[in-house]
Amino acid sequence: MSAGNAATGPHVLRRINALAVLNALRAVDDLIATVSGLVQATGLSRPAVTRALTALTEAGLVEFTGATEHQVGRPASRARFRAELGHVAGIDIGPHKVLVMVADLSGKVLSQRQAATPADATGERLVRLLRTTLAKAAAETGVAPADLWSVAVGAPGIVDHASGEIVLAPSIAGWSGLPVTAELRGWLGCPVHIENDVNLAVRAERWRGESSDNLLFVQWGERIGTGMVIDDKPYGGASAAAGELGFIDLVTDLDAEPPAATDGLGAFERLVGAGAILRLAIQRCSGDVRDRLEATGDIAFLFDAAREGDEAALSVVDTIAARFARGLAVQLLLMDPQRVVVGGGVTRAGELLFEAVRKRLRPLLLAPVELRVSALGAAGVALGAVRMALDHVEERLTSSL
Amino acid sequence: MSAGNAATGPHVLRRINALAVLNALRAVDDLIATVSGLVQATGLSRPAVTRALTALTEAGLVEFTGATEHQVGRPASRARFRAELGHVAGIDIGPHKVLVMVADLSGKVLSQRQAATPADATGERLVRLLRTTLAKAAAETGVAPADLWSVAVGAPGIVDHASGEIVLAPSIAGWSGLPVTAELRGWLGCPVHIENDVNLAVRAERWRGESSDNLLFVQWGERIGTGMVIDDKPYGGASAAAGELGFIDLVTDLDAEPPAATDGLGAFERLVGAGAILRLAIQRCSGDVRDRLEATGDIAFLFDAAREGDEAALSVVDTIAARFARGLAVQLLLMDPQRVVVGGGVTRAGELLFEAVRKRLRPLLLAPVELRVSALGAAGVALGAVRMALDHVEERLTSSL
């Protein structure tokens, strides 16, 4: 019974109110609002808002800036969220790149740095690369890594939420079982959280306004993974292993043994992941396009050529669209979501590719679905990591009020 | 605000208490319990239980039978749920059979009748067949169809819950758009409900004790469909079209156009549905086994032969297990359920088949899963329909208290 009282006692209410006021302050563009504005935004009473602002001011999170501006009768108290008070970092570790974002407490990204992951990177080398990239991104914002308040890491693989480590990451050598959060925590001195990359991309979509309560998010890059939102809640499965579209097998002959994977990729990833697109493009294209693809390994040249009407490039886009639709149709037949949002590196192809995907998808489905390309592009995972780091900061902040 | 008051007013509480007492009474084997027993089973106070029993008695649902039995001091009031007061029917309409169950208000199945669906059955003929089968099952229990309190129908296809009709049923000719509930309602005069067959099978599993809150149920017969329970709630998808495993395509060459379906079956159904199993068995088996399969069209003979060690039959079982595992693996990679329960006609094969499925499944998955065969066999859909009909009866009963 005492736990029940604690969970509903007046200080919990104060904390909830403070969080509501903080969120309302952060939701306004210039982070400044009047008490009346906050009363309206939160639905709280004026005394409750004032009490929350006092607690937030005492904690240093809010300052009053209204001295210069007076209304007739009474001075307008203008509260400002001090977003510059602290910083967080969001990190996306992929098989080919490390992307680090440093943001202030309002979630505004102040700097970002990307580094290529060497193909033969061991876990140890990855941690080193991660540290230098993080240090550079932080320095650009004028922050020492040790001054970060919270860091979140997104990585492919299945996260053991109890230990906070990746337990299965077939795509990065030496990565499975590596105590990456412990390593970073020891170096940084702040809390470090880890989450499956696709789950973070879903979090970023929702943060940036995606409100469908029955959503399928597909991350399409080198790897292919999906995240589901069911009844407005992220769905992770019984072993936090749901959504592994990249591993479904549409390729192996039905009565044959599936071949053992040597590249760590799943069958569907090996078919339409960024690497497979590059291989098919090099195979079918010729001349300049082929040369550029071979030299850079960047599929952007394929999509450029297709947009310019190159027939070989267009045929690659159509083949990839048809194959991707085949796999996506499987998940749509099983999940029947209201909307599909596709993010990840391959979305740089733009509508050229996705119009073809929609066309190929339609005859394969029993129920209609809306498919759109994420506005976040390849930044989704890192941005979702920023959001996760902020969530943890907020939890600590408001629990200390 | 008045709606809020109505929903929490004292008569709502009385109704909830009456329902709790009714459920407790129905849960005991002989439908008889003492007031003390009901106090213990429901957690309600003795006065609340007594009030509920009075209301239930006035409604004719409960009678007291304790006159013969006295304890020292006070007479033991023994309440009995009058399950014989009314009857409901649950109907399973499949591509090959119509199965009707008639049950009393405790859910005890008193009679059941099955009829084969002619291959060329139009919607109208189906409705006629349904009426005669229902009439026979009811007569066996001594009830006229017009005296049924509630009927529920399970059918393959996507149900439009607003109109209460099947809007998409590719497997039964003339069935899509047929106003089957309106037809039956006009004839019977009682409420008739319709639901997707697999959803009803899931309901039956949960009724009969399946308590996993993250469950995948697979109906494996002529058709293949799945039902999901997520967070202890049935998940139907945005268009009530989730779980269509039968339609996933592991067969068509990736870069080919999927062939137009002429049999109404999905690609996976055409691969490992009961019909496909029969065709493969006739193709590979010889002698007596083949003769019996051809004469009866019953795959039970295949499984009998396999159990007796017939090599051709064993090879069919292994091929089917491998193919079924390939498709099921897809759904498991996407959904990551805690447990899989397989029901439907093919489960008559027993552990011989399902041990092979488990073995084939293991190397295809990233997370472990428990797979078991439903104890309900081919009766699941009709039983779930009985449960649905009862739920509606209870709703009406308790709302009139």
Side-chain angles (χ1 to χ4, degrees), chain A residues 235 238-239 241 243 255 323 335-336, chain B residues 235 238-239 241 255 323 335-336:
Chain A
Y235 172 75
S239 312
D255 296 323
R323 293 179 180 179
M335 293 302 309
D336 182 23
Chain B
Y235 173 75
S239 312
D255 298 322
R323 293 178 180 179
M335 292 304 309
D336 182 24

Side-chain angles (χ1 to χ4, degrees), chain A residues 158 168 170 214 226 228 230-231 233 235-258 271 284 319 322-323 326 329-339 360 364 366-368, chain B residues 158 168 170 214 226 228 230-231 233 235-258 271 284 319 322-323 326 329-339 360 364 366-368:
Chain A
I158 295 168
L168 184 64
N214 193 347
T226 71
M228 291 168 261
I230 291 177
D231 276 348
K233 280 190 309 195
Y235 172 75
S239 312
E244 295 289 359
L245 180 63
F247 282 80
I248 76 166
D249 189 348
L250 301 172
V251 186
T252 307
D253 180 70
L254 262 172
D255 296 323
E257 294 286 332
L271 186 73
R284 286 205 197 157
T319 298
R323 293 179 180 179
R326 277 288 300 281
V330 167
Q331 187 152 8
L332 297 179
L333 284 167
L334 298 175
M335 293 302 309
D336 182 23
Q338 197 176 355
R339 181 180 295 171
R360 293 292 193 157
L364 305 175
L366 296 174
Chain B
I158 297 170
L168 184 64
N214 193 346
T226 70
M228 290 170 261
I230 291 178
D231 276 348
K233 280 192 307 196
Y235 173 75
S239 312
E244 293 290 359
L245 180 63
F247 281 80
I248 76 167
D249 188 349
L250 301 171
V251 185
T252 308
D253 180 67
L254 263 173
D255 298 322
E257 295 286 332
L271 187 72
R284 287 205 197 156
T319 299
R323 293 178 180 179
R326 278 287 302 281
V330 167
Q331 186 152 8
L332 297 179
L333 285 166
L334 298 176
M335 292 304 309
D336 182 24
Q338 197 175 359
R339 182 179 295 170
R360 292 293 191 156
L364 305 175
L366 297 174

Side-chain angles (χ1 to χ4, degrees), chain B residues 67-102:
Chain B
T68 56
E69 197 184 312
H70 283 231
Q71 284 181 319
V72 181
R74 65 195 296 179
S77 310
R78 295 174 74 85
R80 179 179 162 279
F81 174 50
R82 297 182 60 211
E84 68 283 7
L85 196 67
H87 296 87
V88 302
I91 303 176
D92 171 11
I93 304 182
H96 290 318
K97 66 160 187 195
V98 167
L99 174 59
V100 176
M101 289 181 175
V102 173

Side-chain angles (χ1 to χ4, degrees), chain A residues 355-369:
Chain A
E355 256 315 305
V357 169
R358 284 188 200 97
K359 201 190 87 196
R360 293 292 193 157
L361 207 47
R362 226 165 283 133
L364 305 175
L365 300 182
L366 296 174
V369 74

